[in-house]
Amino acid sequence: MPAIPDSAPPGHPSGQPVEQPSEQPVGQSSEQSVGQSSEQSVGHPSGQSSAESALGTWPAPVRRPTGRDVARLAGVSQATVSLVFSGAEAGRRVSEATRQRVREAARSLGYRPQAAGRQLRLGRSGMILLAVPNLQGPFFGRVLEGVHQEAGRNGLAVVVSSGWGSATLAEAATAGRFDGLLICSPDDSQLGELPTDIPAVFLDADPGTDRTRPTVELDVAGGMRAAVEHLAALGHRRIGRLRSTHAAYTFRVRQAAFERVVRELGLDVVELGVSLNEGHRAARTVADRLLARADRPRAVICDDDVVASGVYQAAAELGLRVPEDVSVVGMDNVAVAALLAPPLTTVDLPGEELGRAGAAALAGLLRGERVEPVAPLATSLVLRASTASAQ
């Protein structure tokens, strides 16, 4: 199968420059620091050496500018500053010229309005929850990266969690901690009734799960077809398959697509199930069973790239070469795929795009907009060096 910013304000609100704690270069080595005498500890008001400072004495943080500082610099009241930063509707009560003056004062001081108070007034937390089946799954790192990108553009923070069930999600939805939910690749046991008033978007999920909520799908069926047809074009008539044992919609779609295309092409199949959550070790064990068969297939398709890496290791332990003795195709196109030797041919599932599309849909729901259906996101077969002609 198949992720977040600092700067100091330009000066103290009073206009005085900020005193630097030391002129010693940050990159100075520990030998240089330890070797300094007390006469060299310039910049440490307490008389401590830089080595002593490094052991636990830290300069006090610069005080953050406040709304009162902005009001003083702009020549307005604190109430006016609050109005300017409280939202578009309230801000209209202040003239454009005053708004510009307040914003310029805020910029010059490095002032950032506290989000907590504004979110409290709006009845929102500013956070969304991304629920994934397995935090260790590399594909979900790609999804999280896309979610972070789009959420940031919409002023939202992201919390990611795994190991959730329908009751956990329902509790998170009703506790007010999150403004909305992104539910990625759920299996049947994790789906239940969500409160109707919580915005939620499903990713890589059955569009029939909840037709009142948006779903963003991947064309995993098209990707599986491309993988099987590629091996058939290389002359492989007997194909092994390591399929996921999880009851998730995405794996059911892959399996149905695999069965359909091998039937159309008249191919022989040897299939074994593997638990993706158990990782590389479980994949290697199942792959060993597949490749140790007297009638072992000369090509294998895996439900994700981690399983494919298990096939590589099992093949090496059995004295088999990839692709000379066994061709291997994965699915997800995570980073490990290009790092295997030889690099892995795999189906690219655009996890970042999935995350961006899901977060954009959820942000639209939070703004009260009508969200249009999203067409299944295209997948593609990435040809590398792990497949070869049948011998």
Side-chain angles (χ1 to χ4, degrees), residues 23-224:
E23 295 180 1
Q24 180 179 326
V26 173
Q28 194 170 35
S29 70
S30 59
E31 288 84 1
Q32 291 172 312
S33 297
V34 172
Q36 287 179 327
S37 69
S38 60
E39 295 177 344
Q40 294 174 303
S41 58
V42 178
H44 294 273
S46 66
Q48 290 176 312
S49 70
S50 59
E52 290 172 327
S53 178
L55 290 176
T57 302
W58 304 97
V62 177
R63 183 177 72 84
R64 294 179 61 181
T66 66
R68 179 178 305 219
D69 299 320
V70 175
R72 185 183 303 117
L73 183 59
V76 298
S77 67
Q78 281 187 257
T80 298
V81 173
S82 297
L83 283 172
V84 170
F85 290 109
S86 62
E89 197 61 40
R92 291 194 185 98
R93 295 161 55 186
V94 181
S95 70
E96 178 61 27
T98 300
R99 289 202 300 270
Q100 290 293 343
R101 195 162 73 250
V102 169
R103 291 194 182 103
E104 180 57 37
R107 276 193 295 270
S108 68
L109 293 174
Y111 169 74
R112 294 179 181 178
Q114 292 291 326
R118 185 169 64 254
Q119 290 161 354
L120 183 61
R121 290 190 295 272
L122 295 174
R124 292 182 180 174
S125 68
M127 296 191 298
I128 59 175
L129 174 66
L130 170 63
V132 301
N134 180 9
L135 282 174
Q136 296 182 337
F139 172 73
F140 300 117
R142 297 184 62 185
V143 176
L144 178 58
E145 176 66 24
V147 171
H148 270 305
Q149 290 171 3
E150 188 61 31
R153 283 192 282 268
N154 288 276
L156 297 168
V158 183
V159 175
V160 62
S161 174
S162 69
W164 45 271
S166 57
T168 306
L169 278 182
E171 192 277 333
T174 55
R177 292 194 293 269
F178 304 104
D179 296 336
L181 309 176
L182 288 171
I183 305 171
C184 187
S185 306
D187 68 32
D188 296 343
S189 68
Q190 294 167 321
L191 295 175
E193 291 295 326
L194 289 175
T196 57
D197 59 345
I198 183 71
V201 175
F202 292 95
L203 309 179
D204 189 29
D206 186 350
T209 297
D210 186 342
R211 297 191 181 278
T212 67
R213 305 179 193 272
T215 298
V216 184
E217 285 187 87
L218 297 167
D219 183 18
V220 290
M224 180 60 74

Side-chain angles (χ1 to χ4, degrees), residues 1 4 19 25 30 34 37 55 64 82 101 116 127 175-176 186 205 228 236-237 244 287 295 304 315 319 321 367 380:
M1 286 195 358
I4 294 201
E19 181 179 349
S30 59
V34 172
S37 69
L55 290 176
R64 294 179 61 181
S82 297
R101 195 162 73 250
M127 296 191 298
V228 176
H236 293 282
R237 308 305 300 171
S244 170
D295 60 345
D304 78 0
R321 298 164 300 164
R367 291 192 297 267
S380 59

